[in-house]
Amino acid sequence: MEEFIFYSIILLWCLFLFHSFLLFLLFRQFGEIYLSSKEGIAKDGVSLGATLPSAEAYSMINKKTVNIKGISNKSSIILFLSPNCKPCRGIIDDWNKTQISYSKDVTFVMVIVGEEKEVFYFNNKYKLNGEILWDESKGLFTRFKVRVTPFAFAIDRNGLINNKGLCGSKEQLDMYVQSIISSEEEGGKSGDRYN
Amino acid sequence: MLTNLNSIIIAHVATFFFISGFMKVLSLKAFLQFVIEFKVLPKKLSILVGSLIPFLEIIASITFFFQQTWKFGIGLIFGLIIIFAYGVTQAIHSKRKIHCGCYGKWLNTEVDFFTLGKQMYLLLLALFITFSIPLHSVDHSILSIISGFLMTVIAMATHFIWHNYRKNVSYLRKTI
């Protein structure tokens, strides 16, 4: 009987460790699932109220490498997209129309990630308005902590992140534009509310 | 107590090598392909070593189990662990995604740090046995063999679950 108890204890310890390992993996997987959910993705990107990160990309308008910090001294909308993503293609018409409507007050910057051929083809095909940057090395994507496209940032004239999130519809794009316009009207101190 | 513990660990290590060797023999062709993919040795030598490994594992497990031949068995086990650990380290270092073929094609797991950890775990058990057996004679009982076998099942299940977890995570992390 004593021998039986000894072996049972050894096996129970093994099972305990096995179950602990299973629980560990299960909780990690819950975390991954949360990060893939709409709520998780909405929390992506540089924090609200933070300063616009400094990173370089190739300007397809000026045909040279530029730093995103020096692009504009106005408020700006930065939209990250990829040529292969369907929702990104769906937002382009609205992007072009919104850019025409608000170009006086807001600078529209589109950051495209992908291979040279597809990015240039994409740019020529859709005749994109605003400043178009090709993020060849994914430096901007990394610095802005973007995982999913289309993802937008609303930047106020002080270079602070005013709003951010997924941008797959006209309503969302309008929301980002309105958020910086209303913050300008309030005195351009949008960053203060996050401090 | 140490005698019983030794007996369980011997049964665990022996059944582990026996099952993994036996599974490799059942899918020898697929296993040889996995060994070639490691690219640690030239192709012809990989085929030769790959053909020998499953049989060496079975021989090691049987000889390790019996007290008269355990020294030969543990020598083979150390040799096999070193070969596996070297292959796995090289594969991780080269950042290639290859199948480990640890259980032939049956549990088709990929080479990663978990595979290396498994080799370290087996190495630790082998070292424990090496230093404790000369001091204590080992008599195997049915209970110790069953316990050792169940520990092997748990260890293999852990590897299988880790493999599935990795697959799920890579699916979840796919860029949208």
Side-chain angles (χ1 to χ4, degrees), chain A residues 22-35, chain B residues 162 165-166 169 172-173:
Chain A
L22 286 187
L23 275 175
F24 168 72
L25 293 189
L26 193 68
F27 278 106
R28 275 184 64 125
Q29 206 152 311
F30 281 150
E32 293 288 344
I33 290 167
Y34 172 73
L35 285 175
Chain B
W162 172 254
Y165 165 76
R166 289 278 303 229
V169 167
L172 287 168
R173 284 181 185 169

PDB file of all heavy atoms in Angstrom, chain A residues 22-35, chain B residues 162 165-166 169 172-173:
ATOM      1  N   LEU A  22      -0.750  23.506 -19.043  1.00  0.00           N
ATOM      2  CA  LEU A  22      -1.936  23.700 -19.886  1.00  0.00           C
ATOM      3  C   LEU A  22      -2.616  25.028 -19.581  1.00  0.00           C
ATOM      4  O   LEU A  22      -2.997  25.764 -20.486  1.00  0.00           O
ATOM      5  CB  LEU A  22      -2.952  22.573 -19.656  1.00  0.00           C
ATOM      6  CG  LEU A  22      -2.646  21.208 -20.235  1.00  0.00           C
ATOM      7  CD1 LEU A  22      -3.834  20.281 -20.040  1.00  0.00           C
ATOM      8  CD2 LEU A  22      -2.327  21.307 -21.709  1.00  0.00           C
ATOM      9  N   LEU A  23      -2.751  25.322 -18.278  1.00  0.00           N
ATOM     10  CA  LEU A  23      -3.389  26.588 -17.881  1.00  0.00           C
ATOM     11  C   LEU A  23      -2.584  27.787 -18.379  1.00  0.00           C
ATOM     12  O   LEU A  23      -3.140  28.765 -18.866  1.00  0.00           O
ATOM     13  CB  LEU A  23      -3.507  26.660 -16.362  1.00  0.00           C
ATOM     14  CG  LEU A  23      -4.732  25.979 -15.759  1.00  0.00           C
ATOM     15  CD1 LEU A  23      -4.668  26.026 -14.247  1.00  0.00           C
ATOM     16  CD2 LEU A  23      -6.015  26.678 -16.231  1.00  0.00           C
ATOM     17  N   PHE A  24      -1.262  27.669 -18.262  1.00  0.00           N
ATOM     18  CA  PHE A  24      -0.366  28.734 -18.717  1.00  0.00           C
ATOM     19  C   PHE A  24      -0.589  29.011 -20.214  1.00  0.00           C
ATOM     20  O   PHE A  24      -0.770  30.160 -20.633  1.00  0.00           O
ATOM     21  CB  PHE A  24       1.084  28.318 -18.437  1.00  0.00           C
ATOM     22  CG  PHE A  24       2.120  29.174 -19.088  1.00  0.00           C
ATOM     23  CD1 PHE A  24       2.351  30.460 -18.634  1.00  0.00           C
ATOM     24  CD2 PHE A  24       2.879  28.690 -20.145  1.00  0.00           C
ATOM     25  CE1 PHE A  24       3.309  31.256 -19.238  1.00  0.00           C
ATOM     26  CE2 PHE A  24       3.836  29.473 -20.750  1.00  0.00           C
ATOM     27  CZ  PHE A  24       4.050  30.761 -20.303  1.00  0.00           C
ATOM     28  N   LEU A  25      -0.633  27.927 -21.002  1.00  0.00           N
ATOM     29  CA  LEU A  25      -0.837  28.089 -22.446  1.00  0.00           C
ATOM     30  C   LEU A  25      -2.229  28.644 -22.741  1.00  0.00           C
ATOM     31  O   LEU A  25      -2.397  29.481 -23.622  1.00  0.00           O
ATOM     32  CB  LEU A  25      -0.660  26.757 -23.179  1.00  0.00           C
ATOM     33  CG  LEU A  25       0.737  26.157 -23.201  1.00  0.00           C
ATOM     34  CD1 LEU A  25       0.776  24.966 -24.138  1.00  0.00           C
ATOM     35  CD2 LEU A  25       1.780  27.163 -23.661  1.00  0.00           C
ATOM     36  N   LEU A  26      -3.210  28.177 -21.974  1.00  0.00           N
ATOM     37  CA  LEU A  26      -4.589  28.620 -22.180  1.00  0.00           C
ATOM     38  C   LEU A  26      -4.711  30.128 -21.948  1.00  0.00           C
ATOM     39  O   LEU A  26      -5.300  30.851 -22.757  1.00  0.00           O
ATOM     40  CB  LEU A  26      -5.510  27.860 -21.221  1.00  0.00           C
ATOM     41  CG  LEU A  26      -6.992  27.960 -21.495  1.00  0.00           C
ATOM     42  CD1 LEU A  26      -7.348  27.247 -22.789  1.00  0.00           C
ATOM     43  CD2 LEU A  26      -7.789  27.334 -20.356  1.00  0.00           C
ATOM     44  N   PHE A  27      -4.098  30.622 -20.854  1.00  0.00           N
ATOM     45  CA  PHE A  27      -4.182  32.052 -20.562  1.00  0.00           C
ATOM     46  C   PHE A  27      -3.423  32.881 -21.598  1.00  0.00           C
ATOM     47  O   PHE A  27      -3.861  33.954 -21.986  1.00  0.00           O
ATOM     48  CB  PHE A  27      -3.691  32.348 -19.146  1.00  0.00           C
ATOM     49  CG  PHE A  27      -4.757  32.096 -18.122  1.00  0.00           C
ATOM     50  CD1 PHE A  27      -4.703  31.000 -17.293  1.00  0.00           C
ATOM     51  CD2 PHE A  27      -5.855  32.944 -18.013  1.00  0.00           C
ATOM     52  CE1 PHE A  27      -5.707  30.743 -16.371  1.00  0.00           C
ATOM     53  CE2 PHE A  27      -6.859  32.698 -17.101  1.00  0.00           C
ATOM     54  CZ  PHE A  27      -6.787  31.593 -16.269  1.00  0.00           C
ATOM     55  N   ARG A  28      -2.303  32.339 -22.050  1.00  0.00           N
ATOM     56  CA  ARG A  28      -1.551  33.046 -23.099  1.00  0.00           C
ATOM     57  C   ARG A  28      -2.384  33.137 -24.368  1.00  0.00           C
ATOM     58  O   ARG A  28      -2.393  34.148 -25.062  1.00  0.00           O
ATOM     59  CB  ARG A  28      -0.245  32.310 -23.394  1.00  0.00           C
ATOM     60  CG  ARG A  28       0.876  32.704 -22.446  1.00  0.00           C
ATOM     61  CD  ARG A  28       2.142  32.032 -22.849  1.00  0.00           C
ATOM     62  NE  ARG A  28       2.559  32.510 -24.174  1.00  0.00           N
ATOM     63  CZ  ARG A  28       3.730  33.024 -24.443  1.00  0.00           C
ATOM     64  NH1 ARG A  28       4.614  33.129 -23.483  1.00  0.00           N
ATOM     65  NH2 ARG A  28       4.045  33.404 -25.652  1.00  0.00           N
ATOM     66  N   GLN A  29      -3.102  32.059 -24.660  1.00  0.00           N
ATOM     67  CA  GLN A  29      -3.927  32.032 -25.857  1.00  0.00           C
ATOM     68  C   GLN A  29      -5.102  33.013 -25.748  1.00  0.00           C
ATOM     69  O   GLN A  29      -5.455  33.651 -26.722  1.00  0.00           O
ATOM     70  CB  GLN A  29      -4.443  30.620 -26.118  1.00  0.00           C
ATOM     71  CG  GLN A  29      -4.748  30.393 -27.585  1.00  0.00           C
ATOM     72  CD  GLN A  29      -4.599  28.952 -27.975  1.00  0.00           C
ATOM     73  OE1 GLN A  29      -3.599  28.317 -27.667  1.00  0.00           O
ATOM     74  NE2 GLN A  29      -5.584  28.404 -28.630  1.00  0.00           N
ATOM     75  N   PHE A  30      -5.658  33.127 -24.540  1.00  0.00           N
ATOM     76  CA  PHE A  30      -6.717  34.123 -24.324  1.00  0.00           C
ATOM     77  C   PHE A  30      -6.175  35.514 -24.657  1.00  0.00           C
ATOM     78  O   PHE A  30      -6.861  36.333 -25.272  1.00  0.00           O
ATOM     79  CB  PHE A  30      -7.201  34.113 -22.874  1.00  0.00           C
ATOM     80  CG  PHE A  30      -8.153  32.993 -22.562  1.00  0.00           C
ATOM     81  CD1 PHE A  30      -8.216  32.441 -21.298  1.00  0.00           C
ATOM     82  CD2 PHE A  30      -9.005  32.481 -23.541  1.00  0.00           C
ATOM     83  CE1 PHE A  30      -9.086  31.408 -20.998  1.00  0.00           C
ATOM     84  CE2 PHE A  30      -9.878  31.446 -23.252  1.00  0.00           C
ATOM     85  CZ  PHE A  30      -9.921  30.912 -21.985  1.00  0.00           C
ATOM     86  N   GLY A  31      -4.949  35.784 -24.216  1.00  0.00           N
ATOM     87  CA  GLY A  31      -4.306  37.076 -24.484  1.00  0.00           C
ATOM     88  C   GLY A  31      -4.177  37.323 -25.980  1.00  0.00           C
ATOM     89  O   GLY A  31      -4.469  38.412 -26.466  1.00  0.00           O
ATOM     90  N   GLU A  32      -3.752  36.289 -26.696  1.00  0.00           N
ATOM     91  CA  GLU A  32      -3.586  36.418 -28.155  1.00  0.00           C
ATOM     92  C   GLU A  32      -4.937  36.674 -28.813  1.00  0.00           C
ATOM     93  O   GLU A  32      -5.048  37.481 -29.729  1.00  0.00           O
ATOM     94  CB  GLU A  32      -2.973  35.139 -28.743  1.00  0.00           C
ATOM     95  CG  GLU A  32      -1.542  34.889 -28.321  1.00  0.00           C
ATOM     96  CD  GLU A  32      -0.551  35.846 -28.959  1.00  0.00           C
ATOM     97  OE1 GLU A  32      -0.911  36.511 -29.947  1.00  0.00           O
ATOM     98  OE2 GLU A  32       0.575  35.950 -28.450  1.00  0.00           O
ATOM     99  N   ILE A  33      -5.975  35.980 -28.333  1.00  0.00           N
ATOM    100  CA  ILE A  33      -7.316  36.151 -28.907  1.00  0.00           C
ATOM    101  C   ILE A  33      -7.799  37.578 -28.650  1.00  0.00           C
ATOM    102  O   ILE A  33      -8.333  38.233 -29.538  1.00  0.00           O
ATOM    103  CB  ILE A  33      -8.302  35.109 -28.324  1.00  0.00           C
ATOM    104  CG1 ILE A  33      -7.947  33.719 -28.861  1.00  0.00           C
ATOM    105  CG2 ILE A  33      -9.751  35.452 -28.671  1.00  0.00           C
ATOM    106  CD1 ILE A  33      -8.610  32.580 -28.166  1.00  0.00           C
ATOM    107  N   TYR A  34      -7.557  38.081 -27.427  1.00  0.00           N
ATOM    108  CA  TYR A  34      -7.964  39.452 -27.108  1.00  0.00           C
ATOM    109  C   TYR A  34      -7.253  40.450 -28.027  1.00  0.00           C
ATOM    110  O   TYR A  34      -7.863  41.381 -28.551  1.00  0.00           O
ATOM    111  CB  TYR A  34      -7.668  39.792 -25.644  1.00  0.00           C
ATOM    112  CG  TYR A  34      -7.892  41.245 -25.356  1.00  0.00           C
ATOM    113  CD1 TYR A  34      -9.187  41.757 -25.292  1.00  0.00           C
ATOM    114  CD2 TYR A  34      -6.825  42.119 -25.220  1.00  0.00           C
ATOM    115  CE1 TYR A  34      -9.400  43.112 -25.090  1.00  0.00           C
ATOM    116  CE2 TYR A  34      -7.036  43.471 -25.017  1.00  0.00           C
ATOM    117  CZ  TYR A  34      -8.320  43.956 -24.943  1.00  0.00           C
ATOM    118  OH  TYR A  34      -8.527  45.292 -24.756  1.00  0.00           O
ATOM    119  N   LEU A  35      -5.933  40.231 -28.241  1.00  0.00           N
ATOM    120  CA  LEU A  35      -5.172  41.154 -29.087  1.00  0.00           C
ATOM    121  C   LEU A  35      -5.682  41.161 -30.523  1.00  0.00           C
ATOM    122  O   LEU A  35      -5.522  42.136 -31.242  1.00  0.00           O
ATOM    123  CB  LEU A  35      -3.688  40.786 -29.064  1.00  0.00           C
ATOM    124  CG  LEU A  35      -2.930  41.149 -27.796  1.00  0.00           C
ATOM    125  CD1 LEU A  35      -1.514  40.623 -27.854  1.00  0.00           C
ATOM    126  CD2 LEU A  35      -2.910  42.650 -27.582  1.00  0.00           C
TER     127      LEU A  35
ATOM    128  N   TRP B 162       1.975  21.796 -26.903  1.00  0.00           N
ATOM    129  CA  TRP B 162       2.822  22.955 -27.224  1.00  0.00           C
ATOM    130  C   TRP B 162       2.804  23.214 -28.732  1.00  0.00           C
ATOM    131  O   TRP B 162       2.696  24.353 -29.196  1.00  0.00           O
ATOM    132  CB  TRP B 162       4.242  22.714 -26.732  1.00  0.00           C
ATOM    133  CG  TRP B 162       5.223  23.758 -27.192  1.00  0.00           C
ATOM    134  CD1 TRP B 162       6.171  23.631 -28.152  1.00  0.00           C
ATOM    135  CD2 TRP B 162       5.329  25.102 -26.707  1.00  0.00           C
ATOM    136  NE1 TRP B 162       6.865  24.795 -28.305  1.00  0.00           N
ATOM    137  CE2 TRP B 162       6.371  25.720 -27.430  1.00  0.00           C
ATOM    138  CE3 TRP B 162       4.642  25.833 -25.735  1.00  0.00           C
ATOM    139  CZ2 TRP B 162       6.747  27.038 -27.218  1.00  0.00           C
ATOM    140  CZ3 TRP B 162       5.020  27.160 -25.521  1.00  0.00           C
ATOM    141  CH2 TRP B 162       6.059  27.755 -26.259  1.00  0.00           C
ATOM    142  N   TYR B 165      -0.460  24.740 -29.687  1.00  0.00           N
ATOM    143  CA  TYR B 165      -0.501  26.118 -29.196  1.00  0.00           C
ATOM    144  C   TYR B 165       0.249  27.045 -30.163  1.00  0.00           C
ATOM    145  O   TYR B 165      -0.232  28.113 -30.539  1.00  0.00           O
ATOM    146  CB  TYR B 165       0.117  26.177 -27.797  1.00  0.00           C
ATOM    147  CG  TYR B 165       0.446  27.571 -27.330  1.00  0.00           C
ATOM    148  CD1 TYR B 165      -0.555  28.431 -26.899  1.00  0.00           C
ATOM    149  CD2 TYR B 165       1.755  28.034 -27.343  1.00  0.00           C
ATOM    150  CE1 TYR B 165      -0.259  29.714 -26.499  1.00  0.00           C
ATOM    151  CE2 TYR B 165       2.061  29.305 -26.947  1.00  0.00           C
ATOM    152  CZ  TYR B 165       1.052  30.145 -26.520  1.00  0.00           C
ATOM    153  OH  TYR B 165       1.352  31.427 -26.139  1.00  0.00           O
ATOM    154  N   ARG B 166       1.441  26.597 -30.591  1.00  0.00           N
ATOM    155  CA  ARG B 166       2.242  27.396 -31.525  1.00  0.00           C
ATOM    156  C   ARG B 166       1.498  27.621 -32.842  1.00  0.00           C
ATOM    157  O   ARG B 166       1.541  28.704 -33.427  1.00  0.00           O
ATOM    158  CB  ARG B 166       3.576  26.691 -31.811  1.00  0.00           C
ATOM    159  CG  ARG B 166       4.548  26.685 -30.646  1.00  0.00           C
ATOM    160  CD  ARG B 166       5.285  27.962 -30.564  1.00  0.00           C
ATOM    161  NE  ARG B 166       5.983  28.222 -31.813  1.00  0.00           N
ATOM    162  CZ  ARG B 166       7.240  28.560 -31.910  1.00  0.00           C
ATOM    163  NH1 ARG B 166       7.946  28.680 -30.821  1.00  0.00           N
ATOM    164  NH2 ARG B 166       7.802  28.795 -33.065  1.00  0.00           N
ATOM    165  N   VAL B 169      -1.288  30.171 -32.225  1.00  0.00           N
ATOM    166  CA  VAL B 169      -0.763  31.528 -32.054  1.00  0.00           C
ATOM    167  C   VAL B 169      -0.316  32.106 -33.397  1.00  0.00           C
ATOM    168  O   VAL B 169      -0.594  33.271 -33.700  1.00  0.00           O
ATOM    169  CB  VAL B 169       0.383  31.536 -31.022  1.00  0.00           C
ATOM    170  CG1 VAL B 169       1.160  32.844 -31.062  1.00  0.00           C
ATOM    171  CG2 VAL B 169      -0.174  31.320 -29.627  1.00  0.00           C
ATOM    172  N   LEU B 172      -3.333  33.240 -35.134  1.00  0.00           N
ATOM    173  CA  LEU B 172      -3.908  34.460 -34.551  1.00  0.00           C
ATOM    174  C   LEU B 172      -3.079  35.704 -34.871  1.00  0.00           C
ATOM    175  O   LEU B 172      -3.605  36.808 -34.959  1.00  0.00           O
ATOM    176  CB  LEU B 172      -4.020  34.316 -33.026  1.00  0.00           C
ATOM    177  CG  LEU B 172      -5.116  33.391 -32.511  1.00  0.00           C
ATOM    178  CD1 LEU B 172      -4.926  33.117 -31.018  1.00  0.00           C
ATOM    179  CD2 LEU B 172      -6.483  33.981 -32.739  1.00  0.00           C
ATOM    180  N   ARG B 173      -1.756  35.504 -35.018  1.00  0.00           N
ATOM    181  CA  ARG B 173      -0.869  36.662 -35.245  1.00  0.00           C
ATOM    182  C   ARG B 173      -0.739  37.033 -36.714  1.00  0.00           C
ATOM    183  O   ARG B 173      -0.010  37.961 -37.053  1.00  0.00           O
ATOM    184  CB  ARG B 173       0.529  36.362 -34.695  1.00  0.00           C
ATOM    185  CG  ARG B 173       0.576  36.468 -33.196  1.00  0.00           C
ATOM    186  CD  ARG B 173       1.951  36.191 -32.689  1.00  0.00           C
ATOM    187  NE  ARG B 173       1.958  36.181 -31.242  1.00  0.00           N
ATOM    188  CZ  ARG B 173       2.979  35.755 -30.519  1.00  0.00           C
ATOM    189  NH1 ARG B 173       4.064  35.299 -31.107  1.00  0.00           N
ATOM    190  NH2 ARG B 173       2.925  35.765 -29.200  1.00  0.00           N
TER     191      ARG B 173
END
